[in-house]
Amino acid sequence: DIQMTQSPSSLSASVGDRVTITCRASQDISDYLAWYQQKPGKAPKSLIYGASSLQSGVPSKFSGSGSGTDFSLTISGLQPEDFATYYCQQYDSYPITFGQGTRLEIK
Amino acid sequence: EVQLVESGGGLVKPGGSLRLSCAASGFTFNTYYMNWVRQAPGKGLEWVSSISSSSSFIFYADSMKGRFTISRDNARNSLYLQMNSLRAEDTAVYYCARAMYSSSAKVDYWGQGTLVTVSS
């Protein structure tokens, strides 16, 4: 199974900041990586697929990069609604696996 | 508008069974892979199972293999998850999730989830 490791597990930031979350795969997954946002008590929301392509309706403040084993999600100009938990997911091969999540909190 | 509405969750005893349903609308259901993803209380996301548009291809997480069965009824625009031999560790919110067109597990839409609690 492909292991997905996110760092950091939690992150404190202020409104207006720019933050980066990283995700590492235990083997090469090309660009078969997605990012999801989840707020407490809510379903996940799809943000990015193909490592860097934004889902429809997702603002350009979110950006993704990487390929192979190392990936990152960057959020610019943090707003209160961006404070949530973020998950990466590989869909290169079954079983599909998620990172453990990164909780983004307001400083 | 794409909508996915799960139902069928509830309280069940260890060893019991439950069948989850997901009603889909707003898209051509019979052309998309569908998935179940779960989340235990306070934990992260865990993929459960995927099914192709025509049910020809089905995949399960190892811990669910032999106990869970995914199926779909394209005439009813519905996805199902039959869960047998339930354990306490199956307690979770179960999400129905649509994969992007021509993909199997690259999710674009999620349902609101249904809570399954396994407890005596």
Side-chain angles (χ1 to χ4, degrees), chain B residues 2-95:
Chain B
V2 172
Q3 285 202 323
L4 300 169
V5 180
E6 301 94 335
S7 60
L11 176 63
V12 61
K13 290 182 168 52
S17 299
L18 211 54
R19 188 196 197 205
L20 306 183
S21 299
C22 171
S25 61
F27 64 101
T28 307
F29 182 73
N30 64 9
T31 62
Y32 287 84
Y33 258 85
M34 297 295 295
N35 298 268
W36 288 100
V37 176
R38 72 182 185 181
Q39 186 171 38
K43 302 298 184 182
L45 300 172
E46 180 182 23
W47 170 77
V48 172
S49 183
S50 300
I51 185 169
S52 65
S53 57
S54 61
S55 304
S56 298
F57 299 98
I58 288 175
F59 305 92
Y60 296 100
D62 283 347
S63 59
M64 291 88 174
K65 214 172 287 186
R67 299 189 302 125
F68 290 10
T69 302
I70 191 172
S71 63
R72 63 192 295 161
D73 184 339
N74 286 342
R76 295 177 183 271
N77 290 342
S78 293
L79 175 71
Y80 305 102
L81 186 67
Q82 177 67 43
M83 303 185 295
N84 298 330
S85 303
L86 283 162
R87 308 165 180 165
E89 54 265 35
D90 296 317
T91 294
V93 174
Y94 285 74
Y95 295 103

Side-chain angles (χ1 to χ4, degrees), chain A residues 35-39 42-48 55-59 62, chain B residues 107-108 110:
Chain A
W35 288 97
Y36 303 98
Q37 175 195 65
Q38 188 179 35
K39 297 179 181 179
K42 300 294 187 182
K45 175 186 175 182
S46 302
L47 296 177
I48 285 172
Q55 287 283 358
S56 176
V58 174
F62 293 93
Chain B
V107 174
D108 56 358
W110 301 75

Side-chain angles (χ1 to χ4, degrees), chain A:
Chain A
D1 299 2
I2 299 174
Q3 276 210 321
M4 305 300 293
T5 304
Q6 289 181 233
S7 60
S9 296
S10 63
L11 176 59
S12 293
S14 300
V15 172
D17 282 356
R18 179 175 184 261
V19 297
T20 295
I21 298 167
T22 64
C23 177
R24 175 164 288 177
S26 61
Q27 64 190 67
D28 190 336
I29 60 170
S30 184
D31 63 351
Y32 296 111
L33 184 102
W35 288 97
Y36 303 98
Q37 175 195 65
Q38 188 179 35
K39 297 179 181 179
K42 300 294 187 182
K45 175 186 175 182
S46 302
L47 296 177
I48 285 172
Y49 65 95
S52 60
S53 298
L54 289 181
Q55 287 283 358
S56 176
V58 174
S60 58
K61 63 189 302 182
F62 293 93
S63 63
S65 65
S67 66
T69 60
D70 293 311
F71 303 86
S72 63
L73 171 70
T74 298
I75 312 169
S76 302
L78 281 172
Q79 294 300 307
E81 61 268 23
D82 300 327
F83 291 92
T85 299
Y86 293 85
Y87 295 93
C88 62
Q89 175 221 10
Q90 68 80 18
Y91 52 91
D92 175 67
S93 63
Y94 286 98
I96 306 303
T97 46
F98 290 87
Q100 81 278 15
T102 295
R103 185 175 178 182
L104 177 56
E105 301 174 315
I106 298 178
K107 187 182 288 183

